[in-house]
């Protein structure tokens, strides 16, 4: 990511800043010494104290966020930290930047203490989803397309102007300076708004896309509301439960191998003895029996009546069987 590469330039930014401060301080001392040599009657006429004079801005360059990639970086400076620039018009650029949509409204009144708590909620959520450092927003890397131009005090002092001319010249420098600082503030705010739009995308599409890359699904209405109103990443209870249940089969232990138990001993089946069917009841008419007049005769009495004929039939059958066996034996042998 282009923004992450800029972190490695922190040492270079600080070195350049220190060099600029040293150069500015040296030049300021020289100009201050020359201003103190100006006749004092010119000072009140100018409406300023010459011993408190600072360089007045006359022209400011355009400024942009270095977090937004450029197709053609030609014409733009190397990135440097806007928060670490300790002179005008950088203060005004940064003041306007803090008034942009990147920050909460109260952040404008706390410009000297920029921290993550001042960042607007959707931007906080996006930084958390991307695991990005909040200093990319609170200490923005920027680029300019030209040099800042200041009122040429040396030329004014060497021009030999009279009191009225010198007074008009200083007044013009002050008015131009104030106008340019106001313009720098506007440019800083525009830069911050442009960075906000680039980070969020249309309809917060980039924020939603960052959520999808982390959680592999779209955020619910409640989850999106939490990001936009509090900057917090909160997974809804229903989605969290669904994710846990989806992962549960994978986390369960494999089923244990079935325990082989010895087959139970097979006991010999006890044969069932079926009761022989009752012998057929042979009813013989008994004309001289006293029971002829009865429509039904009891079974016990019938058994008594049939006992003698059944024995006779059985004896005859046995005798016949024996006779057949003796005959067969004689025939075959």
């Amino acid at each position: 990511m282009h923004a992450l590469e800029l972190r490695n330039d922190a040492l270079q930014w600080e070195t350049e800043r220190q060099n600029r401060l040293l150069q500015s301080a040296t030049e300021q001392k020289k100009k201050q010494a020359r201003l103190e040599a100006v006749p004092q009657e010119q000072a009140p006429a100018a409406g300023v104290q010459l011993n408190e004079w600072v360089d007045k801005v006359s022209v400011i360059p355009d400024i942009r966020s270095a977090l937004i990639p450029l197709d053609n970086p030609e014409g733009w400076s190397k990135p440097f930290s806007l928060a670490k620039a300790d002179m005008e018009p950088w203060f005004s650029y940064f003041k306007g930047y803090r008034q942009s949509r990147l920050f909460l409204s109260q952040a404008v009144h706390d410009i000297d203490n920029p921290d993550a708590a001042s960042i607007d909620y959707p931007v906080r959520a996006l930084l958390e989803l991307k695991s990005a450092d909040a200093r990319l927003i609170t200490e923005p890397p920027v680029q300019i397309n030209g040099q800042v131009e200041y009122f040429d005090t040396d030329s004014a002092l060497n021009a030999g102007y009279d009191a009225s001319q010198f007074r008009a010249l200083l007044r013009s420098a002050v008015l131009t300076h104030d106008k340019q600082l106001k313009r720098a503030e506007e440019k800083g705010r525009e830069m911050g708004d442009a960075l906000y739009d680039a980070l969020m995308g249309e309809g917060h599409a980039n924020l939603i896309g960052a959520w999808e890359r982390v959680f592999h699904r779209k955020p619910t209405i409640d989850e999106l509301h939490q990001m936009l109103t509090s900057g917090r990443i909160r997974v809804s209870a229903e989605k969290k439960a669904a994710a846990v249940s989806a992962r549960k089969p994978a986390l369960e232990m494999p089923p244990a191998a079935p325990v082989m138990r010895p087959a139970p001993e097979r006991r010999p089946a006890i044969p069932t003895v079926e009761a022989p069917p009752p012998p057929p009841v042979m009813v013989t008419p008994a004309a001289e029996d006293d029971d002829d007049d009865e429509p039904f005769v009891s079974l016990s009495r019938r058994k008594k009546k049939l006992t003698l004929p059944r024995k006779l039939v059985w004896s005859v059958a046995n005798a016949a069987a024996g006779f057949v066996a003796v005959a067969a034996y004689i025939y075959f042998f």
Side-chain angles (χ1 to χ4, degrees):
M1 180 180 177
H2 181 67
L4 298 180
E5 296 176 357
L6 297 175
R7 299 184 192 180
N8 300 327
D9 297 334
L11 181 60
Q12 180 181 353
W13 296 342
E14 184 62 20
T15 301
E16 293 178 357
R17 185 180 76 92
Q18 295 294 340
N19 291 336
R20 288 195 302 269
L21 290 176
L22 180 61
Q23 182 180 1
S24 176
T26 302
E27 294 177 356
Q28 188 67 26
K29 288 182 179 180
K30 293 180 180 179
K31 293 177 181 180
Q32 193 68 38
R34 300 191 66 179
L35 284 170
E36 290 174 355
V38 176
Q40 290 299 316
E41 61 271 13
Q42 293 183 6
V48 295
Q49 295 295 326
L50 294 181
N51 57 357
E52 297 177 357
W53 178 267
V54 293
D55 288 340
K56 301 301 179 182
V57 178
S58 60
V59 178
I60 61 172
D62 289 332
I63 191 170
R64 68 177 300 276
S65 172
L67 298 177
I68 303 175
L70 275 174
D71 295 333
N72 182 17
E74 185 178 355
W76 292 93
S77 68
K78 292 182 178 180
F80 64 93
S81 176
L82 180 60
K84 294 180 179 180
D86 299 332
M87 55 188 297
E88 290 290 5
W90 315 114
F91 287 140
S92 296
Y93 280 128
F94 191 62
K95 182 179 179 181
Y97 173 78
R98 296 276 290 183
Q99 296 172 6
S100 69
R101 288 179 289 164
L102 288 169
F103 298 90
L104 300 173
S105 57
Q106 61 267 28
V108 178
H109 307 291
D110 194 22
I111 191 172
D112 295 329
N113 299 302
D115 55 14
S118 63
I119 299 176
D120 195 33
Y121 299 127
V123 183
R124 286 191 216 176
L126 182 64
L127 292 175
E128 184 175 347
L129 290 170
K130 288 182 171 292
S131 299
D133 194 338
R135 287 180 297 178
L136 290 173
I137 303 299
T138 58
E139 300 177 13
V142 298
Q143 295 172 278
I144 54 177
N145 65 349
Q147 295 294 327
V148 180
E149 297 182 15
Y150 295 90
F151 175 73
D152 191 354
T153 308
D154 291 339
S155 297
L157 291 172
N158 295 329
Y161 296 125
D162 58 21
S164 59
Q165 291 174 327
F166 193 72
R167 182 190 310 116
L169 188 63
L170 292 181
R171 184 180 294 111
S172 175
V174 171
L175 293 176
T176 302
H177 175 80
D178 293 341
K179 182 179 180 180
Q180 290 298 312
L181 295 188
K182 184 177 180 181
R183 185 164 176 260
E185 188 173 330
E186 294 174 354
K187 285 182 174 292
R189 183 171 57 252
E190 292 173 358
M191 179 186 68
D193 289 340
L195 178 58
Y196 180 91
D197 292 336
L199 290 175
M200 291 294 104
E202 185 177 356
H204 298 93
N206 294 344
L207 179 61
I208 296 173
W211 174 283
E212 292 178 353
R213 283 187 289 273
V214 173
F215 296 100
H216 308 290
R217 62 174 177 82
K218 290 184 178 294
T220 63
I221 299 290
D222 180 65
E223 290 166 343
L224 183 59
H225 177 75
Q226 287 291 336
M227 289 192 290
L228 296 179
T229 59
S230 67
R232 297 176 181 175
I233 308 300
R234 288 184 177 178
V235 181
S236 64
E238 294 181 1
K239 292 293 184 179
K240 188 181 296 184
V244 171
S245 62
R247 293 194 303 266
K248 189 175 181 180
L251 298 176
E252 288 180 349
M253 295 295 293
V259 179
M260 301 299 293
R261 297 182 180 180
E265 295 183 0
R266 304 184 68 177
R267 298 180 180 180
I270 301 175
T272 57
V273 180
E274 297 182 358
V281 179
M282 299 180 63
V283 181
T284 56
E288 297 178 357
D289 198 304
D290 296 337
D291 296 328
D292 291 342
D293 297 334
E294 296 179 6
F296 301 99
V297 181
S298 63
L299 182 60
S300 60
R301 294 180 63 185
R302 291 179 184 273
K303 287 182 179 180
K304 291 179 181 180
K305 294 178 179 182
L306 297 176
T307 299
L308 183 57
R310 184 178 299 173
K311 290 181 177 181
L312 293 176
V313 173
W314 183 257
S315 299
V316 174
N318 286 337
F323 177 79
V324 171
V326 172
Y329 179 83
I330 294 172
Y331 179 80
F332 289 101
F333 297 98

